[in-house]
Structure formats: C-alpha cells, structure tokens
Amino acid sequence: MKQSSLCPRFEKGMQLLGKRWTGLILYQLLAGPQRFCALEGALPVSGRLLSERLKDLEKEGLVHRQVFTDCAPVRVEYSLTEMGLALEPVLKGIEAWSQTWIELESKTATE
C-alpha cells in the first residue's frame, strides 16, 4: 500500500494554527486592531499565555504589534497582517461548520 506524505508547508501551518488559543486569538482580531487588555478580556486565556501566543503569531507574520508612544501609558495594539487576514475564510468556514455540527453540553438543572 502506497503511503502519501504530508506537504511540509501544510504540516507547519497546522502545527501553528493547532496551538491552543491561536485560532481564537486570530478570530478575535478579525474584528480589527485591539489592545492587549481587550483581547485578554474577550478570551478565556491567561495573560502570560496570550502574550506568548501573540509573540509567536507576530514572529510568524500573522499579527502586527504597533506601539503608540505619544500617550502615557504607552499603548500597544495588535492587528492581523495581510497573511493573517488571508485566514478569514478559513476561520469563518470553521465557524459555519461548528454552528452546524458542534453540540454544546447543556447545563443541568442542579448547576
């Protein structure tokens, strides 16, 4: 039986997007530039892990970090790059798929 090999680029892309919280961070940034505190408030993730993921995404070219020094305290905003924005159809597709196929566990009356 012939075994097909994975495309190395696809494998790297899946490893990047498969990291915990990465997809949700990217999805949140589809709404436009956001400050760290807004992202932290919108996502159920620790500040330390959010900071780590944002650095990873910036290093990979998906997220742009802009520092505004004209005000005190210094303001930092995160936004998607062109490469990050190219994921919009993928993220919206996952959203549509999950609306159709994913069931949430309902809370019981005792909770």
Side-chain angles (χ1 to χ4, degrees), residues 77-98:
E77 277 187 356
Y78 295 90
S79 59
L80 295 176
T81 63
E82 183 180 353
M83 182 180 177
L85 286 168
L87 284 167
E88 183 172 11
V90 175
L91 296 169
K92 294 291 187 175
I94 293 171
E95 178 184 36
W97 173 83
S98 65

Side-chain angles (χ1 to χ4, degrees), residues 40-89:
E40 190 176 25
L43 300 167
V45 60
S46 72
R48 182 191 61 77
L49 187 57
L50 177 59
S51 177
E52 184 180 308
R53 287 295 176 267
L54 286 167
K55 284 177 187 173
D56 291 345
L57 291 168
E58 184 181 10
K59 186 180 121 205
E60 293 293 336
L62 295 165
V63 168
H64 174 70
R65 179 179 185 264
Q66 185 169 6
V67 180
F68 296 91
T69 57
D70 58 343
C71 55
V74 172
R75 190 177 56 147
V76 178
E77 277 187 356
Y78 295 90
S79 59
L80 295 176
T81 63
E82 183 180 353
M83 182 180 177
L85 286 168
L87 284 167
E88 183 172 11

